[in-house]
Amino acid sequence: MTCSPLDAEAFKAFGMNFYAAFTDSHHQFEQVIATDDQVITCGTFHATHLGEFQGLPPTGKRVKLEVMHIDRLEQGEIVEHWGQGDALGLMQQLGIVFLPGPKLVPTLLKVGVSKVLKRFSP
């Protein structure tokens, strides 16, 4: 899946909405690598889901996810940012269940029926 880069305003809006939904958050960085024009941080994000997040009402659940950030700097200012977080792990911690797409349903049914039949066959 490819994502289009966010402009500065969209990036700021996403960040503000995310941190409003996941309060008392903090990052714990296990690794920080700095070069002349980049800073790479790898660690863990911890927070509590106390606000609406992309239409999901607050769950009150504590979440923990692995994150990695790469920031490119020019004259000491961040001019580009790339971030990667465990989105699937986050959704699972919030109790969100993903439903299979229509093309996968027949296969899942076939596997399920096969398991049931094996239980009852001599």
Side-chain angles (χ1 to χ4, degrees):
M1 177 179 150
T2 59
C3 297
S4 299
L6 300 177
D7 64 22
E9 287 304 311
F11 179 74
K12 182 179 177 182
F14 175 81
M16 297 298 286
N17 290 331
F18 187 85
Y19 286 108
F22 295 94
T23 59
D24 74 341
S25 64
H26 72 276
H27 285 88
Q28 179 179 340
F29 293 116
E30 284 82 34
Q31 190 169 27
V32 177
I33 301 168
T35 68
D36 290 338
D37 67 343
Q38 287 187 332
V39 176
I40 302 165
T41 52
C42 300
T44 310
F45 174 79
H46 304 262
T48 307
H49 180 219
L50 295 176
E52 183 179 309
F53 175 62
Q54 296 185 346
L56 177 68
T59 62
K61 295 182 178 183
R62 289 285 300 160
V63 297
K64 173 184 172 185
L65 62 140
E66 304 303 314
V67 295
M68 181 182 73
H69 302 280
I70 302 171
D71 294 306
R72 189 173 70 77
L73 310 168
E74 284 182 6
Q75 300 175 347
E77 303 258 336
I78 297 172
V79 294
E80 289 182 274
H81 170 82
W82 298 272
Q84 181 66 40
D86 181 10
L88 177 60
L90 174 62
M91 296 297 118
Q92 289 172 333
Q93 290 174 68
L94 295 176
I96 295 172
V97 177
F98 290 96
L99 299 174
K103 291 184 179 182
L104 188 56
V105 171
T107 302
L108 293 175
L109 287 173
K110 182 179 174 183
V111 169
V113 168
S114 175
K115 286 182 179 182
V116 169
L117 292 176
K118 283 183 182 179
R119 276 193 182 162
F120 294 106
S121 55

